[in-house]
Structure formats: structure tokens, C-alpha cells
Amino acid sequence: MPDDHVADTLLTEEAALTPAFGEELRVVPLVEVDALVAQGQPLLSLRGAPDVRLVAPMAARVAAIELNPGRRLIQMLLFRENGGGRHQFTTEGAGNDAAALRALMQDAGLWRLCRSRPFGHMPGLAETPTAIFVMAADSRPAAPDPKTALAGREEALARGLAALNLLAEDAVFLCETKGKTLDLADTGTVRRITCGKLHPQGLAGIQIHHHAPAEVEARVWDIHAEDVADLGDLLATGLLPETRLVTVTGSAMREPRLLRCQPGADLRGLCHGYVRPGPYQVLAGSVLDGRPAHWLGPRDRQASVVTRGSGRRRGHWFSAALTRASRPLPIIPTAALSQSFGGDIPAAALMRALSAGDQEAAARLGALSLLEEDLALVDYVTSSEPSLAAQLRGLLNAIEQEEAPA
């Protein structure tokens, strides 16, 4: 792991605005190719929700706008330009009025950083959460310490938490790692929760399931604490912070890196000069839930550079025989399996419900609070086929489709 207290600042020469993994964005460009844009300037609006914007992660020149049919965003490519300036937002009234706060978060690109559960999408424009979980904890392997990311930003975090209280009617939870609580003078009505250090106890889904389970008619949001501090700075200055804290680790790295870089950074630029010789693959995310990518995603705070094949579990003849059989691989309940569910979810029962597609049982057991990342460790422990994360997504999609208005 890199030194938790020494982070270099690195703005890559290229960056991009892209959908999050599994997200579909139909967009309308607000600028043209070759336009010079300021950091924080709105560049794209959502076709179905024009008030929601995607903003420039750095002062840059627009190099390309790549869209699929239906104006579905592939990427907006940006080349860094020095001296491009920073976009100033109007924040009047946003600190004490819920409608003004919504409008500011949507215009400044912060609305997309909230995830609504169940289903894991961006919240609806008029959606009111029953609770908001602010994650100042992250138990993924090699994740950057949120306390390090927030060092010196306690006042901004407190301001952002107070603002979120306007949206959740004083039902905001601040999740912190045991032994690494933040030094906050006054958090008002915010409820502070201490998470365990073992993965996946530092994930939002596990905490939501335990403290305020999500339901179709009772949406629960989660957001990273660093993004909430960004909201606090935005309210105070009208400017979006330029960087976020990320780690770059993995078996193909000569040494791990702790960096402050722009959102949407070029992952190749983050690891350039630090990769061992030989074939490797760059993942956005941790080694457990990361996926091959070129750019740092909207919510990513890790990049994993791994030697090809290093993430595969070593096979065994008996496992191979079961895989080739007509029946799916059996899974035996163990203490490790229970721990991989966070120790608070009935592992065997939920797995049976997911495998059978039993929506009612899965919902009763907590599936509506979970997303794919919450089951990444389970899939690693069990090597289940098909993966439980994929089964969870299929079940959530089916429930969402049934609940959609005709």
C-alpha cells in the first residue's frame, strides 16, 4: 500500500466523460468539438432531464464527442489546456433551500454521484430519499483511506452534510471506519455509524441493509464523503474542487501510488512509468469488482494494474468436473461465506433466492439494498457460475421492469 499521508497531484493530459459501468446516458452536447472549456463547465446535459449536467473535469479542449445511435454517450474526450480557468456556479439559497440545492447539484454534476437503491441508478429529479448514507469508509482491497482524502476538509464536509439534511429530512448517516473516525466539531442531526474494517463491511449496501433497508417505495441514496465535501466547497466558493484521491495498485505495479487526479483521468497516465515489464491489464476499481477500462469512472477511486491471468482462481480437477456437469456448481455454507456477506445477511437463504429468481424472498432477505459491488467478495470466495452479482442484477432489473408505470 502507498503511504496514507503522501499523495502526489497528477492531472493526466487526457480525460473523458463516460457513463458509469452499466449506465446508459442519452445526452445533448452543450459545446462543440475544439471548444476551449473551463474546469467545472457543463458540457453535456441528459436528453430526458436537461437540468442534469456532466461537467468538465479540467480546463481542456474538446477533442471528440462519440455517441451511439439515440445519442447514447460513449465518451467525450478532452485534452488538457493550461490556464483554461474554472467555471463559477451561482449558489445563492442552495445552503438552506432544498429546491435550490437540487438545482445546484444537478447543474454542477454532483447529482449523478448519488446512487439510489434499489436498482443503483441516479436518483429521479423529484425523488425524496428516506435516508442518505455518506461513505467515509471503504473496505475494498487497497482502497484510499477516506480520512486521508478528507484531511483538512472537515468544515467543507460538515457544510455538505448539513445541505444533504435538506434532501433527506434529517435522515443522513455518516459511515466511518472503526478507529478512523473524523474530527468533526458539529454534525447536527447526522447519525454517525462505525463500520468494521473487514470487507465488505465498509460498503454502502451492507450498512444500508443493517440500518435503513431500501424498498421500492422507500429509496435510499449513497454517496462518497469526498463528494459531500466537494458539495460543501461548492456551496462556499461556487467552484468545484479539481481532484479526488485515488490509489493505483496491483500485481503489475513496481510500487503502489497514492494520487490526487481529476475525475475521468486517463488510467494509462496514472500508471505510466510504474508498471513492470510484461503483459498487463488496467482495471477501474479494485481487484475484486474492477473492470477493464481506459478512464477513471464517475465514482471510481481506485485503479488496479494486474498481470494478465493474475485475477483467476487456480483450477482443480474436481472443480473442472463440476463445471462441465449439467448441474450448476454447488455452494457449501461456511463461516467464510457468511463473512463475505458482511456477517449480517443470511447467506445461504439469499443465494438460494437469487439462484431461483425468487423476487419476494430475495427482497425480504435484503437484496433491494445491495448492488453488484456488494457481492464481489462472495463471487471471489465461491467462484459461482453464473456469478451472484449477475443474478442480483437480473433480479433487480426484473423487479424494476415490473414496477415501471405502464
Side-chain angles (χ1 to χ4, degrees), residues 1-2 4 141-145 244-249 256-259 270 283 285 296 301-304:
M1 280 292 293
D4 280 345
D145 185 354
R244 66 173 55 163
L245 189 70
V246 302
T247 52
V248 186
T249 60
R257 306 190 75 186
L258 184 68
L259 300 170
L270 298 183
L283 309 177
L296 194 70
R301 284 175 166 79
Q302 287 180 262
S304 302

Side-chain angles (χ1 to χ4, degrees), residues 170-209:
D170 296 332
V172 175
F173 294 78
L174 176 63
C175 304
E176 305 168 89
T177 303
K178 184 177 181 180
K180 294 186 177 183
T181 55
L182 299 164
D183 184 16
L184 298 177
D186 181 20
T187 54
T189 58
V190 173
R191 307 176 202 181
R192 300 180 73 167
I193 300 170
T194 301
C195 307
K197 297 180 180 180
L198 296 178
H199 191 59
Q201 294 172 9
L203 295 184
I206 305 302
Q207 298 305 320
I208 290 171
H209 168 76

Side-chain angles (χ1 to χ4, degrees), residues 131 133 153 216 374 389:
F133 281 70
R153 305 187 65 193
V216 173
D374 301 308

Side-chain angles (χ1 to χ4, degrees), residues 115 117 133 135 137 140 175 200-210 221-223 369-370 373-374:
R115 286 188 304 188
R117 303 184 190 222
F133 281 70
M135 298 306 298
R140 294 177 180 88
C175 304
Q201 294 172 9
L203 295 184
I206 305 302
Q207 298 305 320
I208 290 171
H209 168 76
H210 185 65
W221 299 358
D222 71 89
I223 184 172
S369 298
L370 306 178
E373 66 185 36
D374 301 308

